[in-house]
Amino acid sequence: MSIQEKFQSRIARWSISYYDIVLFALPVVLLVGAVAEVLLPVPSHAGITAAGIVSALVLGDAMFNRPPSGRSV
């Protein structure tokens, strides 16, 4: 076993799928909406509602437009 094989990074082998991005995006979008409502002069329900609509669109795209299949990507 060479030194390069012994100390090969495990991070380099990770592959990020579309669904990983969706799982990351959902709370980020809601957090951005909450921060926007605090920083911008908009009503509190407007920021959360807008973030909820965007989250629903992301989730709907992941479930219905690109549904998960049993195949490995």
Side-chain angles (χ1 to χ4, degrees):
M1 178 186 321
S2 70
I3 293 174
Q4 186 177 13
E5 291 173 0
K6 186 175 180 182
F7 294 105
Q8 188 177 10
S9 173
R10 292 183 183 180
I11 296 172
R13 288 188 242 162
W14 288 359
S15 63
I16 297 176
S17 72
Y18 170 74
Y19 302 104
D20 294 329
I21 295 170
V22 168
L23 288 174
F24 177 75
L26 291 175
V28 169
V29 167
L30 291 173
L31 183 63
V32 167
V35 169
E37 81 167 68
V38 171
L39 297 178
L40 300 174
V42 296
S44 63
H45 66 276
I48 296 298
T49 301
I53 290 170
V54 172
S55 292
L57 290 172
V58 169
L59 186 61
D61 180 63
M63 289 176 60
F64 301 113
N65 194 24
R66 302 180 206 182
S69 64
R71 293 181 292 151
S72 175
V73 178

